[in-house]
Amino acid sequence: MTDRIQQIREEAEQAITTATDTQTLENVRIHYLGRKAELPNLLRTVAELPASERAATGKAANEARKALEAAIEQRAQHLAAVELEQRLERDRVDITLPPDPRHDPGRLHLITETRRELEDVFIGLGFNVAEGPEVETVYYNFDALNHAPTHPSRLMTDTFYVAPADDIFDPNARLLRVHTSPVQVRAMEHQPPPLYIIMPGRTYRPDNDATHTPQFHQIEGLAVDTDITLADLQGTLLAFARAIFGEEREVRLRPHFFPFTEPSVEVDVSCFNCTGGLTAHGLRCPLCKGEGWIEILGAGMVDPNVFAYVREYGYDPEEIQGFAFGMGIERIAMLKHGVPDLRMLYDNDVRFLEQFG
Ligand code: PHE
């Protein structure tokens, strides 16, 4: 009987060393030490053996079982380590690669992107950024900006008044600002000259078509100092136009009217889609409509009447001059990126939005 045990032991040891993966090793274990295996069976029946054989057989079988268990355990640890090593080698993950499927971290909205681009340009020119409230008073939105009582944009049809606005001539009546210009007055009340600021923000008008939405964005600019001329305005706007629309751009000032600037101008930039109104194929340029120039903003020298409203804050119209300008952020974005309809900026269609930012 001990011979048979020795035979099983040798056979099993052989199988253990030749097992090259944990699954095969497990099969070896079941085959030699499992419930139906010969050796454990033998151990269970030792008691039934003749007394002379009992001790020797029991001892040999027990030793064999312990030896095999130890050998299996040792081999299992070895194989597990090898397999882990192989798995690590095979499944090496490059954590610097982008996730798959791609996880889109999102992007800036075109309006935000354009606002920041504009801010960067003017900050580079020495301007600071200031902000003011979107719910304004008639005083800041109209009166202190030298709007005559008869000015048409004061009408209910042109301005969103905040209820109750029984008297739209009450300086304290509330409205949604129609432009960012009221921030000019607030900024001057806040700080004496010299002042070089830009004022971005939301503005509101009861319009709705391909080039107007009831809510839109403007960036206002204001420079006040003791020696500001129209040439400074022109130079500043030229630098801005070239930074945004390309180094070859020129600007042109046309006479216009705003209640709060005198003289007032509308500013055009030379078309960046054609030369002199004609495309490379000799066709009328669709962007500037063959004009060669595109209107981009309103501007002018600050009207002394506006300074008179803030004289007590250090703005003596006899001592200082200033220029101001205001532009629509959506308009700049549309021109620059060829967006055909302003409302696309507010449709929240990602197929459009994900092209920017
Ligand atoms: N506030 C004017 C508008 O909304 C633009 C402007 C700003 C014009 C500053 C002159 C100076 O049309």
Side-chain angles (χ1 to χ4, degrees):
M1 188 59 83
T2 46
D3 287 354
R4 176 65 193 141
I5 292 170
Q6 187 59 26
Q7 199 186 350
I8 295 171
R9 184 173 170 172
E10 278 165 20
E11 219 182 277
E13 278 169 352
Q14 176 74 15
I16 290 166
T17 33
T18 51
T20 50
D21 61 84
T22 44
Q23 187 54 53
T24 312
L25 185 66
E26 175 63 4
N27 292 339
V28 170
R29 190 190 65 75
I30 292 167
H31 186 77
Y32 292 99
L33 297 174
R35 272 192 322 115
K36 290 175 192 152
E38 195 179 342
L39 187 64
N41 245 342
L42 225 147
L43 270 164
R44 276 193 290 276
T45 54
V46 162
E48 295 158 22
L49 290 174
S52 57
E53 285 180 36
R54 220 178 280 160
T57 309
K59 187 165 177 259
N62 227 345
E63 270 174 18
R65 196 196 59 195
K66 279 190 182 151
L68 291 181
E69 278 173 357
I72 287 171
E73 175 59 25
Q74 203 186 1
R75 184 75 183 152
Q77 279 181 17
H78 171 71
L79 290 178
V82 170
E83 282 169 16
L84 176 66
E85 193 63 35
Q86 287 170 345
R87 223 173 24 249
L88 287 176
E89 190 63 33
R90 199 172 49 236
D91 301 345
R92 186 176 292 169
V93 171
D94 183 348
I95 59 160
T96 65
L97 287 173
D100 183 21
R102 190 168 71 106
H103 173 68
D104 192 334
R107 61 204 68 223
L108 293 179
H109 191 279
L110 178 56
I111 294 174
T112 309
E113 184 191 46
T114 307
R115 173 175 57 76
R116 291 193 182 179
E117 203 179 331
L118 292 166
E119 287 172 359
D120 282 352
V121 170
F122 287 105
I123 287 169
L125 291 171
F127 287 74
N128 293 312
V129 180
E131 286 184 315
E134 291 168 33
V135 179
E136 261 298 2
T137 60
V138 161
Y139 175 78
Y140 286 109
N141 193 86
F142 292 127
D143 299 343
L145 288 168
N146 198 37
H147 284 66
T150 52
H151 194 279
S153 52
R154 289 182 183 257
L155 293 175
M156 290 274 203
T157 48
D158 283 51
T159 293
F160 290 114
Y161 285 89
V162 176
D166 317 323
D167 177 6
I168 61 167
F169 295 106
D170 175 354
N172 290 316
R174 308 277 154 164
L175 48 74
L176 300 183
R177 65 182 180 188
V178 307
H179 48 183
T180 41
S181 303
V183 193
Q184 288 188 32
V185 181
R186 289 183 176 274
M188 289 191 281
E189 287 182 356
H190 190 71
Q191 190 185 326
L195 193 60
Y196 294 86
I197 50 168
I198 50 161
M199 297 147 272
R202 290 191 194 86
T203 46
Y204 302 84
R205 288 178 202 178
D207 295 325
N208 205 4
D209 58 40
T211 51
H212 302 85
T213 45
Q215 179 231 271
F216 58 108
H217 296 75
Q218 288 190 335
I219 281 199
E220 191 85 6
L222 175 68
V224 185
D225 214 327
T226 49
D227 52 3
I228 300 275
T229 71
L230 197 65
D232 296 315
L233 172 64
Q234 184 159 17
T236 302
L237 295 178
L238 182 62
F240 142 75
R242 290 183 173 174
I244 297 293
F245 295 111
E247 277 309 311
E248 282 87 64
R249 299 288 76 75
E250 298 294 340
V251 292
R252 160 178 104 166
L253 274 47
R254 285 179 289 105
H256 196 70
F257 173 79
F258 296 104
F260 39 94
T261 46
E262 181 59 34
S264 300
V265 291
E266 271 188 334
V267 179
D268 299 338
V269 63
S270 57
C271 185
F272 42 88
N273 191 48
C274 68
T275 0
L278 292 179
T279 65
H281 301 95
L283 300 169
R284 179 172 165 270
C285 174
L287 187 62
C288 65
K289 311 271 185 307
E291 280 288 307
W293 295 93
I294 302 167
E295 184 196 323
I296 46 168
L297 57 88
M301 300 305 290
V302 178
D303 193 305
N305 289 344
V306 173
F307 286 138
Y309 280 95
V310 288
R311 186 195 302 265
E312 61 189 292
Y313 300 95
Y315 292 83
D316 180 348
E318 299 294 327
E319 299 286 328
I320 42 114
Q321 309 82 39
F323 68 69
F325 58 85
M327 70 185 96
I329 297 181
E330 283 85 346
R331 180 167 172 76
I332 302 295
M334 288 171 75
L335 284 171
K336 186 163 174 165
H337 298 281
V339 180
D341 190 320
L342 195 155
R343 290 167 294 199
M344 295 173 88
L345 293 166
Y346 294 104
D347 282 344
N348 277 347
D349 185 334
V350 286
R351 290 169 302 178
F352 171 76
L353 295 177
E354 69 186 3
Q355 297 176 47
F356 312 100

